[in-house]
């Protein structure tokens, strides 16, 4: 449990990618994911389907959490 005014911030880097979590304006958990080299997480850069890419991204985020 966090008290009012507590700042929560988590940065995680893996190869050329990163995940950042923080409380936005102290009210909502925000998660930002930046994948600079899709191959690092097993996704081809020229993948034609958004669904394939998004499923792998969700799995990668779950591993980070």
């Amino acid at each position: 449990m966090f008290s009012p005014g507590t700042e929560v911030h988590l940065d995680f880097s893996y190869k050329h990618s990163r995940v950042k979590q923080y409380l936005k304006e102290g009210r909502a958990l925000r998660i930002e994911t930046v994948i600079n080299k899709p191959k690092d997480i097993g996704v081809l850069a020229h993948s034609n389907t958004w669904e394939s890419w998004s499923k792998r991204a969700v799995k990668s985020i779950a591993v980070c959490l």
Side-chain angles (χ1 to χ4, degrees), residues 29-46:
L29 179 64
R30 181 172 180 126
I31 302 172
E32 297 177 6
T33 305
V34 177
I35 301 170
N36 291 315
K37 238 180 155 181
K39 189 176 179 181
D40 288 346
I41 61 168
V43 176
L44 298 177
H46 300 289

Side-chain angles (χ1 to χ4, degrees), residues 4-39:
T6 302
E7 290 188 31
V8 178
H9 192 95
L10 172 72
D11 285 314
F12 177 83
S13 296
Y14 176 73
K15 295 185 180 182
H16 298 93
S17 303
R18 64 184 161 93
V19 175
K20 183 167 52 171
Q21 292 182 345
Y22 58 93
L23 288 176
K24 185 174 183 177
E25 298 177 3
R27 294 184 291 172
L29 179 64
R30 181 172 180 126
I31 302 172
E32 297 177 6
T33 305
V34 177
I35 301 170
N36 291 315
K37 238 180 155 181
K39 189 176 179 181

